[in-house]
Structures are given as C-alpha cells and as structure tokens.
Amino acid sequence: METIYRIFLVFMAGYLFLRVTGKKAVSQMHTFDLLYIFILTNIISSPVEVDHLGKALIYAIITVILYKIFIRLSLHNKLRWILYENPTVLIHNGDIDRKGLKKARMPMNELLSHLRVKGYTDIRTIAIAVLEETGDISVIPKSKYRPVEPNDLNLNVKKEYIPIPLIMDGQVVYHNLKYLQLDYGWIMKELEKAAEKIENITLATFLENGKLFIDNNAVESHKGDPYYYKPGRNN
C-alpha cells in the first residue's frame, strides 16, 4: 500500500512540475530543456525505491526554479545565443549545404526522408531548409513553387470559422455550450431531430450556419468501391 502511495505522489508531483514549467519544455525541447527533463525525471522517480521522498521533492522544486530562471535569461538576446544552438542551413537556393549536413551529422537519405514528410521531392524547388534548434526541419519553397494564395489573385475571402465541439465521445462540452449561450435542452432537441442518442456520438460540432454536425459511431460501408479503399487486410 505504501508503494502505491509513493508512486501516486511521485506521479502527481511530476505532473504538477511539468504544468508549472509550461508546454514549451514538453513540445519544443532545446538542449537544456532535455537536460531539465532528464534531471527532473531522475529526481522524482528515486523516492519510489528509496525512502527520501521529502528531499526528492525539495530537489525537484529547486530544479524547476532553476529551469524557470534559465527560461527568463534566454529572453535576453545576448544570453540566448549562449543557451541555444544556432539553426543549421541544410539547403540554400536549391543547393545542398554539405557543411550544414556534416555539422548536423545527417546522412543524405535522412534529409531526403524529412523533405518527403514535408511534401518536397525535388531540392531544386526549395529556397531554404533549416535544421532548427528544436530539432525540427523548416522548409521554405522558392516563390514560384509555393502554393497560390488568395492574395496572389486579389481575392477577398471570408473569415475562417472553426467548428466548435459540443459533444465529444458521448459527453457534452459544457464550457463551449456556455460560450455559445446555449443550453443542454438545445442539444437534446437537435439530437431528437437527427434521431441520434448522445452516447452514440463520436463528435458533434456547432457549424457557422448555426446547425449541429453529428458524426456517430456508425460506419457507412463502401465495399468494393475503389475510391474508398483502405490499406491493410481489413479493407
């Protein structure tokens, strides 16, 4: 029982420390971000086996504070260049930068793989490709190869509307209902019109026209239709 209590306490402490740290440390890790995660993981996991829970939590709090100080310091331009690695150019104006590849220790096949993931198959179409300090590769195509935008054609487009989820996995998203100044009764009326039960709904969203789009658990069969082919044996 004591072991379960320790594991639960360590898990909750780690969760709270990462929440205090912020999303950046989890999603966009730099060198010292990774170091911070490794140290924090080691500190908060040690009490599971060793009887030093209090000390471990104190060390973890100190580690979080130091990390937050480093984040603050990184906002200053002079210190930023010390704390963070510089971006590395891999392709420039359609030419592969061999020095950049060597510095990044990236073989050619890996570079081509990253480019394919981004949707690029010909390096001649690329203005610049950069290995960012977070480890991601950003690719900017040459102007004549980039997708056409409405502004290029002097077109006026309407404002983008994001459908608002009101039901997810059979559960009502009440804060979105409140935001739209709607109530539970409105949803039930819409479901009654569509002859749907709330527990069968995977996703229901509020559309721009004020209607409710419903995606239920039922899957329409398109057996034998080549346009609806799905890879795998269960097609």
Side-chain angles (χ1 to χ4, degrees):
M1 192 68 183
E2 184 179 351
T3 303
I4 296 175
Y5 166 74
R6 285 176 178 276
I7 294 173
F8 176 77
L9 194 59
V10 166
F11 181 84
M12 292 305 299
Y15 173 77
L16 291 173
F17 289 145
L18 288 176
R19 284 295 299 269
V20 170
T21 301
K23 294 180 181 178
K24 183 173 175 290
V26 179
S27 62
Q28 298 175 350
M29 292 187 181
H30 300 280
T31 305
F32 73 87
D33 293 326
L34 283 169
L35 179 63
Y36 161 73
I37 294 295
F38 289 151
I39 292 174
L40 184 62
T41 303
N42 188 51
I43 289 173
I44 65 175
S45 61
S46 59
V48 175
E49 298 179 359
V50 185
D51 190 17
H52 295 298
L53 184 58
K55 284 185 178 180
L57 291 178
I58 292 172
Y59 294 157
I61 291 170
I62 294 172
T63 303
V64 172
I65 293 172
L66 287 174
Y67 177 76
K68 297 291 281 187
I69 291 173
F70 270 104
I71 290 294
R72 285 285 183 180
L73 291 175
S74 69
L75 298 177
H76 298 280
N77 287 330
K78 290 183 179 180
L79 291 173
R80 181 176 179 81
W81 297 112
I82 298 174
L83 296 174
Y84 291 121
E85 297 179 34
N86 294 327
T88 303
V89 176
L90 304 176
I91 298 175
H92 190 258
N93 196 29
D95 292 323
I96 295 173
D97 190 322
R98 296 186 181 278
K99 289 183 178 179
L101 277 180
K102 187 176 180 181
K103 182 181 178 182
R105 295 186 291 277
M106 182 180 295
M108 185 65 64
N109 62 329
E110 185 179 338
L111 172 63
L112 296 177
S113 174
H114 284 295
L115 294 178
R116 288 194 297 271
V117 170
K118 297 285 185 181
Y120 297 93
T121 56
D122 191 342
I123 63 170
R124 294 174 298 176
T125 65
I126 298 173
I128 190 169
V130 179
L131 178 64
E132 303 291 355
E133 46 203 317
T134 57
D136 293 326
I137 294 179
S138 56
V139 182
I140 300 175
K142 292 180 179 179
S143 56
K144 63 180 179 180
Y145 293 108
R146 66 177 174 80
V148 177
E149 298 179 354
N151 190 50
D152 296 327
L153 304 175
N154 294 320
L155 296 176
N156 291 322
V157 295
K158 65 179 183 178
K159 192 174 181 180
E160 185 69 24
Y161 177 82
I162 302 174
I164 302 173
L166 295 182
I167 301 175
M168 298 175 69
D169 294 324
Q171 297 182 358
V172 177
V173 186
Y174 285 100
H175 62 269
N176 285 346
L177 265 182
K178 183 178 180 182
Y179 176 80
L180 293 170
Q181 298 181 352
L182 299 173
D183 55 23
Y184 184 78
W186 180 86
I187 277 195
M188 296 311 295
K189 286 181 182 178
E190 293 297 313
L191 295 182
E192 189 177 343
K193 291 178 187 176
E196 293 283 358
K197 292 184 178 180
I198 194 168
E199 60 268 19
N200 294 332
I201 296 176
T202 305
L203 177 67
T205 55
F206 186 81
L207 301 179
E208 189 176 10
N209 58 8
K211 294 183 179 180
L212 193 67
F213 165 75
I214 298 173
D215 186 348
N216 56 26
N217 295 328
V219 179
E220 187 176 352
S221 177
H222 298 280
K223 194 71 175 178
D225 191 333
Y227 289 101
Y228 290 90
Y229 168 74
K230 294 187 295 183
R233 293 186 176 182
N234 298 323
N235 49 19

